[in-house]
Amino acid sequence: MIRYAALCLLFLSAPVAAQDMTLPVGSRQLSDRTSPLDSYDLPTGPFADGRVPARAMEGRVERITWRLQAGSSTTLQLLAPLRSQIVAQGFEILFECAARTCGGFDFRFGTEVVPTPDMYVAIQDYRFLSAARDGEALSLLVSRNPPDGYVQMIRVSPVDTVTPPPPLVIEEPVTRSDDLLSGLTQDGHAILADLHFRTGEITLGDGPFASLELLADFLKDNPDMRLALVGNTDDTGGLEANISVSTGRAQAVRARLIEKYGVAADRVEARGIGYLAPITSNATPEGRDLNRRVEAVLLVN
């Protein structure tokens, strides 16, 4: 178990008072990409006029992500205690938004996000916050993929005043490939959560997509395995139309694996099943967003 105070100590290098709060058992740090000298565009407003307004920052840049067991907690419930700690330490909140007010898809792909599987962002269920204090700046991005919650912190510190963050003891650190490949080998299927398609379109974005590289490496290391890519949609529209869209998206992913990553055509197939296999209710925008996905299904020769 990670104590909540310890998590806040990692966010803020200055000391903070201990809290009688804990993160759920099993919370894990997924990644730590720290650069001693780098730049970061700190978002300061919602997507507008074709871009996300941002403040260019330079210094030591820390990019850290965590996964926690969120249960039924909302993204606001996940963000609120972290925000309180930031304000208590003298940070000024520059900008804060929820998915729709941020700009939805355009804000998500117009700002920096650590690649999947180290960070997951549901297009219609995330919250963002940016703050600054005496030349130091940070942003928090919180999202959910029930039952898990994800937190990303990007912090920029002036190089001449950097204080190394205190160590944080975590349980069973996971590597970039653990979530995807363990799900594929243990459960027989895994969601390719970093893929993105615009609503109603079947063209896969430019990427790069870490999940596809992992799948290509997995097939190379396991010549007796094949994959089926299965496209899924929400329940908006008729079944026949949704099957067509979901099939097209799965075929686009298959083509990318073959053309860019050199996967043999007979090692991967593509199918679409429309809205017939939801992972959650389609009654909410958040649920529909989660149901629009492409999954990899493991096949053994």
Side-chain angles (χ1 to χ4, degrees):
M1 180 181 299
I2 308 175
R3 291 198 59 80
Y4 181 82
L7 181 60
C8 291
L9 279 172
L10 185 58
F11 279 169
L12 310 171
S13 58
V16 292
Q19 302 284 333
D20 293 328
M21 298 180 64
T22 59
L23 288 175
V25 173
S27 298
R28 296 177 178 177
Q29 180 179 329
L30 297 181
S31 66
D32 182 349
R33 296 168 168 83
T34 298
S35 301
L37 182 61
D38 203 348
S39 60
Y40 171 57
D41 291 330
L42 179 74
T44 55
F47 179 88
D49 301 323
R51 67 183 187 91
V52 175
R55 177 187 300 179
M57 307 290 298
E58 293 184 352
R60 174 188 171 94
V61 180
E62 301 161 85
R63 299 170 174 91
I64 304 174
T65 63
W66 294 264
R67 183 181 65 196
L68 56 146
Q69 296 175 1
S72 60
S73 297
T74 65
T75 52
L76 180 57
Q77 287 173 313
L78 299 178
L79 177 64
L82 302 178
R83 178 180 58 197
S84 297
Q85 290 292 334
I86 291 171
V87 172
Q89 287 299 312
F91 279 85
E92 176 187 359
I93 305 299
L94 302 178
F95 171 59
E96 184 175 352
C97 63
R100 182 171 298 179
T101 56
C102 292
F105 177 96
D106 293 308
F107 182 90
R108 156 65 179 85
F109 289 101
T111 188
E112 182 174 343
V113 178
V114 171
T116 305
D118 292 338
M119 183 61 188
Y120 174 85
V121 181
I123 299 300
Q124 297 182 357
D125 187 18
Y126 68 85
R127 287 181 181 267
F128 178 86
L129 175 154
S130 59
R133 178 190 68 178
D134 299 329
E136 185 178 5
L138 65 81
S139 67
L140 293 176
L141 178 62
V142 176
S143 189
R144 300 187 311 143
N145 184 15
D148 296 323
Y150 289 81
V151 176
Q152 170 185 288
M153 184 273 290
I154 299 181
R155 179 172 60 180
V156 184
S157 305
V159 173
D160 58 349
T161 61
V162 169
T163 300
L168 175 67
V169 178
I170 60 176
E171 295 181 348
E172 303 176 39
V174 296
T175 63
R176 291 182 64 248
S177 61
D178 276 356
D179 282 351
L180 177 62
L181 297 187
S182 65
L184 191 62
T185 56
Q186 295 176 19
D187 303 328
H189 64 96
I191 297 174
L192 309 182
D194 60 338
L195 305 183
H196 58 84
F197 302 86
R198 289 189 180 274
T199 302
E201 296 184 359
I202 63 173
T203 303
L204 182 63
D206 293 335
F209 301 113
S211 63
L212 300 188
E213 183 175 356
L214 290 173
L215 290 181
D217 290 341
F218 175 80
L219 289 173
K220 181 179 179 181
D221 295 338
N222 297 273
D224 59 333
M225 301 291 184
R226 295 184 298 117
L227 292 176
L229 300 169
V230 182
N232 297 262
T233 67
D234 60 29
D235 64 354
T236 303
L239 177 58
E240 187 173 331
N242 276 291
I243 287 179
S244 177
V245 170
S246 61
T247 301
R249 289 179 173 177
Q251 289 172 338
V253 178
R254 177 178 181 269
R256 185 67 58 86
L257 281 170
I258 294 171
E259 296 167 4
K260 183 171 182 178
Y261 296 99
V263 173
D266 62 355
R267 302 284 306 281
V268 59
E269 60 186 70
R271 297 289 186 268
I273 57 175
Y275 53 63
L276 295 178
I279 56 175
T280 188
S281 170
N282 281 299
T284 64
E286 294 80 8
R288 291 192 293 274
D289 181 64
L290 291 173
N291 287 330
R292 293 191 295 268
R293 68 199 190 278
V294 175
E295 293 194 31
V297 177
L298 188 62
L299 305 174
V300 181
N301 289 331

